[in-house]
Amino acid sequence: MHNDSFKFKQFDVSHGKCAMKVGTDGVLLGAWANAYDDMPILDVGTGSGIVALMMAQRFHVNKIIAIDIDKDAVTQAQENFNNSPWNNRLYAIQDDFANSRLVEKYKFGTIVANPPFFNEQVLAPDDKRCHARSVNSLPTNDLIRNMALLMLEEATASIILPYDRANEIIAEAALNGLFLARRTDVITKPGKMPKRSLLEFKKSIQQTNFSQITLNDNQNNRSNQYKNLTKDFYIH
């Protein structure tokens, strides 16, 4: 690995042009999310394309559309897609999901999103990383509403977000006819409070599957849980 790229077992990810670099959140989502049947997958806020690439590796026939509001990120993602083994079914598109051109034109079997979730009130106008991280660039209600509009009846939508915002998102989803099917809370080390939540929504009400995952042990090594989840991707 060097500053502008990250090497996985079956693909490389360059991220020098992206405001948000490859990080644990994206890897968690890409390894955890389910896909419905062989229907198209939508990756919202793709950045470097890491989640889309992981989904392409895991699900062998699905067409995957990856969108981002940032032109440079889309260029970077498409370059990574072109250099991957799955370049014939990965597509990067510049799109503002809050006002998405996809709504009412497409339906997806799976939606994955690692959305902006920080509530900065004042952002430097030229700071792309702040914009990429800020909930102002994709308000929660727009995210949930458009996910619901783009989902097939049997579809799944999976997101990762801060643990302390999970209940807010679950309530917003229910208002849009999306119901929690699966939840995994992410703990950095034993004894710590959860830092992230992985949430999977469906359009039908069902019993929710709850779990936790701890990323590191007390010696700050990757936990067996995290190793098992990501064993097909990380070069150990």
Side-chain angles (χ1 to χ4, degrees):
M1 185 183 74
H2 56 81
N3 288 340
D4 290 336
S5 69
F6 201 103
K7 187 174 183 62
F8 291 89
K9 285 184 177 179
Q10 296 190 34
F11 58 90
D12 295 344
V13 180
S14 297
H15 53 195
K17 299 175 183 176
C18 299
M20 295 301 294
K21 310 304 181 185
V22 172
T24 303
D25 285 3
V27 173
L28 279 166
L29 180 63
W32 182 86
N34 287 325
Y36 170 65
D37 210 355
D38 59 353
M39 300 303 295
I41 295 171
L42 175 65
D43 176 20
V44 178
T46 193
S48 64
I50 173 63
V51 176
L53 286 160
M54 293 177 73
M55 297 295 282
Q57 178 180 322
R58 292 177 59 211
F59 304 103
H60 300 156
V61 298
N62 303 71
K63 175 182 176 181
I64 301 173
I65 295 176
I67 65 171
D68 203 287
I69 195 172
D70 183 73
K71 181 179 179 180
D72 290 337
V74 171
T75 299
Q76 185 84 88
Q78 191 62 60
E79 290 173 359
N80 289 328
F81 296 166
N82 291 343
N83 292 328
S84 78
W86 315 287
N87 55 50
N88 63 326
R89 56 191 180 88
L90 283 159
Y91 307 89
I93 298 172
Q94 186 176 8
D95 185 67
D96 175 6
F97 195 64
N99 301 284
S100 180
R101 295 170 294 165
L102 301 175
V103 172
E104 298 181 358
K105 294 182 181 179
Y106 296 92
K107 293 289 185 182
F108 295 89
T110 302
I111 299 177
V112 289
N114 179 10
F117 45 64
F118 289 93
N119 288 306
E120 290 101 348
Q121 298 301 312
V122 180
L123 302 177
D126 58 347
D127 190 335
K128 291 174 65 176
R129 187 168 188 270
C130 281
H131 185 71
R133 287 159 58 90
S134 172
V135 72
N136 298 331
S137 64
L138 180 54
T140 300
N141 58 331
D142 292 336
L143 170 68
I144 300 299
R145 181 193 68 239
N146 286 345
M147 284 199 311
L149 289 172
L150 285 163
M151 290 169 64
L152 294 165
E153 285 303 311
E154 300 298 323
T156 63
S158 297
I159 66 175
I160 185 167
L161 73 168
Y163 171 79
D164 60 8
R165 291 202 60 201
N167 288 337
E168 169 198 343
I169 301 300
I170 292 167
E172 182 71 29
L175 292 175
N176 286 272
L178 298 180
F179 305 99
L180 187 65
R182 189 165 58 117
R183 173 175 178 169
T184 299
D185 292 327
V186 181
I187 299 168
T188 55
K189 291 179 69 173
K192 299 285 189 182
M193 285 291 294
K195 185 177 182 180
R196 296 284 189 267
S197 291
L198 290 151
L199 308 178
E200 177 186 280
F201 297 100
K202 295 187 176 182
K203 288 192 170 183
S204 57
I205 299 174
Q206 55 200 274
Q207 184 173 353
T208 304
N209 181 294
F210 292 96
S211 64
Q212 288 186 339
I213 183 171
T214 303
L215 301 184
N216 300 300
D217 60 24
N218 286 320
Q219 286 72 47
N220 219 30
N221 299 313
R222 287 178 187 163
S223 70
N224 289 332
Q225 279 184 306
Y226 189 43
K227 285 180 181 178
N228 288 336
L229 180 66
T230 59
K231 65 182 184 296
D232 293 333
F233 300 101
Y234 280 135
I235 300 172
H236 297 293

